[in-house]
Amino acid sequence: MGIQVKPGKILINNEWTESLSGKRFDVINPATEEKLTDCAEGDKKDIERAVLAARRAFESGAWKKMSARERGRILNRAAQLLEKHRHEIAELETLNNGKPISETLHVDLPLAIETFEYYSGLADKIHGETIPVNGPFLNYTLREPAGVVGQIIPWNFPLLMAAWKLGPALATGCTVVLKPAEQTPLSALRLGELLIEAGLPAGVLNIVTGFGPTAGAALAQHMDVDKVAFTGSTGVGKMVMKMASETNLKRVSLELGGKAPNIIFADSDLDAAVNGALRGIFFNQGEVCCAGSRLFVEKSVHDEFLSKLKTKAEKLVVGNPLDPKTQMGAQVSEEQFKKILSYVEQGKKEGAKVITGGTPAQNKGYFIKPTVLEGVTNQMTVAREEIFGPVVCALSFTNTEDLIHQANDTIYGLSAGIWTRDIGKAHRFAKEVKAGTVWINCYNQFDAASPFGGFKQSGFGRELGEHALELYTQVKSVWVSLD
């Protein structure tokens, strides 16, 4: 441990440059509240430069002429380089984001590596089809890259979200302008270095650090961007979609917020369910879009379950993210820290009871104790809005028909959890819950091969798996007369 964190620049056409304005912004270590480094503050003019580089690389550069198999080899080399530098990048991610080193090293990095490996193998397997049409014609389809893609990623999983976006986009032959979150730009910049080292041609990946209202908005509005992919809050996602529709009607995919129901039936393995509930809400300090933040517990086991949950929550080690024993680190920023605590206060005003946590965990740094609220109803603010922190809202149920209504009574539909020994009941509920991912007797399981995305206002389009290729390709139908 003890890496040197260098100042960040903008990547355009495989060259590291300052922003045209010369402005820079500070990057803060959330565990210490101290400046970590600073980065170039890109804006609309820098986005213009980046999009131009991406367009040239797409239309006439080496990327267009490269075979799909060679694209796959570059992605595989990127995976190997991530593996080689995994300890360095894990520490960089922990310093910048505040999450425990145990998570960056054993969750974020392996999943990012797996994503590049997976799409390296798919690169030369993207193909069209022949269709038996009427008449003397040969009809076939081509699946072609969408073009220049703008990708805007969030601060909760900076490296992993970059991998989720870049893997399929690069595999399909698209070129990219990536805008990392201003809070956490460092791992994306390091990934850019590794992709260049892996052999990515100039202009294929361009990275512009900066702020949403300037750099992000310029990317979403740009007339020469063919597709924009955004992960973040539902409110900002709506703005991105509006911007895209008001310019060139570029294609949009959105992975947005969530308010997942995590349902505990009385016939479940309660100890396993408690551990699953802990993982569902306190993993990554609760800064997870699919967090199991609404905990529905069957009334007959409600008190026993919450007692076990409270005991285990209070034993979680909250502190220095670089300590391998730490289980919960710091929230990403002062803004997020204050927002989470304000939600706890709002819950108390509306009648919820804090049975553990709800206060800062350290004198310095943006640490919050694992928090459990009970006596919550589905109409309270804490049950309606995404808190995005280590706060779980416990609700009791008796009627299973009403449970489905309550579980689905939300604007979101990203994920859900079901805990029961009755597998038939589990499958019935999995079918009834309106969510893009349903975990049965587990929580927060991911794999590069399995699609992830939302229903309702949790967005549309699917990350990961073969389904993600649909986001970055378009289908062309070709007719040939045989007469």
Side-chain angles (χ1 to χ4, degrees):
M1 298 263 179
I3 60 169
Q4 289 293 110
V5 181
K6 61 184 181 182
K9 293 185 177 182
I10 287 170
L11 176 62
I12 296 178
N13 217 35
N14 278 16
E15 295 181 358
W16 296 97
T17 70
E18 295 292 343
S19 63
L20 288 176
S21 70
K23 292 181 180 178
R24 299 187 68 80
F25 63 93
D26 289 345
V27 178
I28 304 299
N29 180 339
T32 64
E33 303 181 42
E34 296 170 356
K35 178 179 174 179
L36 196 55
T37 187
D38 51 46
C39 282
E41 184 182 331
D43 57 22
K44 185 176 181 179
K45 290 182 179 179
D46 300 294
I47 291 292
E48 289 281 355
R49 290 194 293 155
V51 172
L52 179 60
R55 177 56 64 189
R56 285 174 177 165
F58 181 74
E59 299 294 349
S60 58
W63 200 235
K64 182 180 180 68
K65 300 168 188 174
M66 186 179 291
S67 71
R69 193 156 295 171
E70 182 56 31
R71 288 202 305 270
R73 290 192 185 105
I74 289 174
L75 292 178
N76 190 53
R77 284 197 290 270
Q80 292 172 349
L81 287 167
L82 276 173
E83 178 66 47
K84 179 181 177 181
H85 297 282
R86 64 185 298 167
H87 289 276
E88 167 215 334
I89 297 171
E91 185 175 349
L92 184 67
E93 191 84 320
T94 286
L95 287 169
N96 195 179
N97 170 275
K99 65 175 71 186
I101 190 71
S102 59
E103 290 182 8
T104 52
L105 195 55
H106 301 297
V107 180
D108 297 48
L109 262 296
L111 285 173
I113 292 164
E114 178 185 288
T115 300
F116 281 109
E117 288 175 338
Y118 178 80
Y119 287 106
S120 74
L122 273 186
D124 62 354
K125 299 169 185 67
I126 302 165
H127 50 74
E129 60 203 340
T130 57
I131 302 171
V133 295
N134 288 328
F137 301 99
L138 167 65
N139 178 242
Y140 65 91
T141 62
L142 300 172
R143 189 168 282 278
E144 299 180 344
V148 174
V149 176
Q151 298 182 325
I152 303 171
I153 59 174
W155 44 254
N156 58 335
F157 291 92
L159 176 74
L160 188 56
M161 292 301 98
W164 281 21
K165 292 282 191 290
L166 291 173
L170 297 177
T172 57
C174 293
T175 58
V176 176
V177 177
L178 180 73
K179 208 295 278 185
E182 60 268 23
Q183 298 89 342
T184 55
L186 302 182
S187 59
L189 296 177
R190 186 70 181 101
L191 178 60
E193 291 178 339
L194 296 183
L195 280 162
I196 293 172
E197 186 179 343
L200 206 64
V204 175
L205 171 61
N206 307 274
I207 305 174
V208 180
T209 52
F211 295 87
T214 48
L219 190 55
Q221 292 173 318
H222 202 289
M223 287 292 291
D224 205 26
V225 171
D226 300 301
K227 184 257 184 327
V228 63
F230 172 79
T231 296
S233 71
T234 295
V236 177
K238 290 178 179 179
M239 293 167 60
V240 168
M241 192 170 180
K242 184 178 180 182
M243 291 173 190
S245 68
E246 288 176 344
T247 50
N248 61 345
L249 209 63
K250 60 176 65 66
R251 293 169 61 190
V252 177
S253 58
L254 302 171
E255 199 268 277
L256 307 175
K259 199 69 184 175
N262 196 10
I263 301 167
I264 315 297
F265 287 102
D267 64 359
S268 66
D269 179 334
L270 285 191
D271 289 330
V274 167
N275 290 333
L278 283 167
R279 178 179 173 83
I281 190 61
F282 300 130
F283 172 64
N284 203 52
Q285 299 78 247
E287 294 171 339
V288 184
C289 50
C290 54
S293 53
R294 287 186 302 149
L295 190 64
F296 289 90
V297 186
E298 195 160 3
K299 189 173 183 179
S300 62
V301 295
H302 178 271
D303 292 348
E304 180 187 357
F305 186 90
L306 286 193
S307 176
K308 288 174 178 282
L309 184 66
K310 176 179 184 292
T311 298
K312 289 213 165 189
E314 290 172 350
K315 289 180 179 177
L316 290 175
V317 179
V318 183
N320 178 9
L322 290 173
D323 186 338
K325 295 179 182 177
T326 295
Q327 295 169 292
M328 250 181 59
Q331 310 306 139
V332 74
S333 65
E334 181 181 18
E335 178 187 10
Q336 188 64 19
F337 174 77
K338 290 180 176 178
K339 177 185 173 184
I340 294 164
L341 292 175
S342 72
Y343 269 116
V344 174
E345 292 306 308
Q346 182 66 28
K348 287 157 66 175
K349 287 179 184 177
E350 294 182 14
K353 179 185 176 185
V354 179
I355 64 170
T356 189
T359 58
Q362 305 280 344
N363 292 326
K364 191 172 186 180
Y366 308 129
F367 298 91
I368 295 176
K369 292 179 180 178
T371 303
V372 181
L373 304 180
E374 71 167 341
V376 177
T377 69
N378 215 26
Q379 300 310 311
M380 290 182 182
T381 303
V382 288
R384 307 303 296 174
E385 299 181 12
E386 187 176 37
I387 298 172
F388 222 64
V391 180
V392 66
C393 301
L395 302 91
S396 179
F397 73 89
T398 53
N399 184 303
T400 55
E401 291 302 317
D402 183 57
L403 169 63
I404 281 294
H405 169 74
Q406 294 290 327
N408 289 333
D409 183 16
T410 172
I411 64 170
Y412 299 109
L414 189 57
S415 58
I418 299 169
W419 298 83
T420 177
R421 286 189 172 96
D422 183 339
I423 199 64
K425 180 166 60 178
H427 283 301
R428 288 195 301 273
F429 269 79
K431 187 175 181 180
E432 293 294 328
V433 172
K434 295 176 181 176
T437 296
V438 179
W439 289 292
I440 297 174
N441 295 331
C442 57
Y443 209 94
N444 277 338
Q445 299 301 314
F446 302 96
D447 192 286
S450 181
F452 182 83
F455 288 16
K456 299 190 282 188
Q457 291 189 46
S458 287
F460 48 82
R462 290 295 178 269
E463 311 263 17
L464 301 181
E466 292 185 48
H467 293 271
L469 300 177
E470 298 166 12
L471 303 180
Y472 298 104
T473 56
Q474 48 195 356
V475 176
K476 178 183 289 181
S477 179
V478 180
W479 290 74
V480 182
S481 173
L482 300 179
D483 275 355

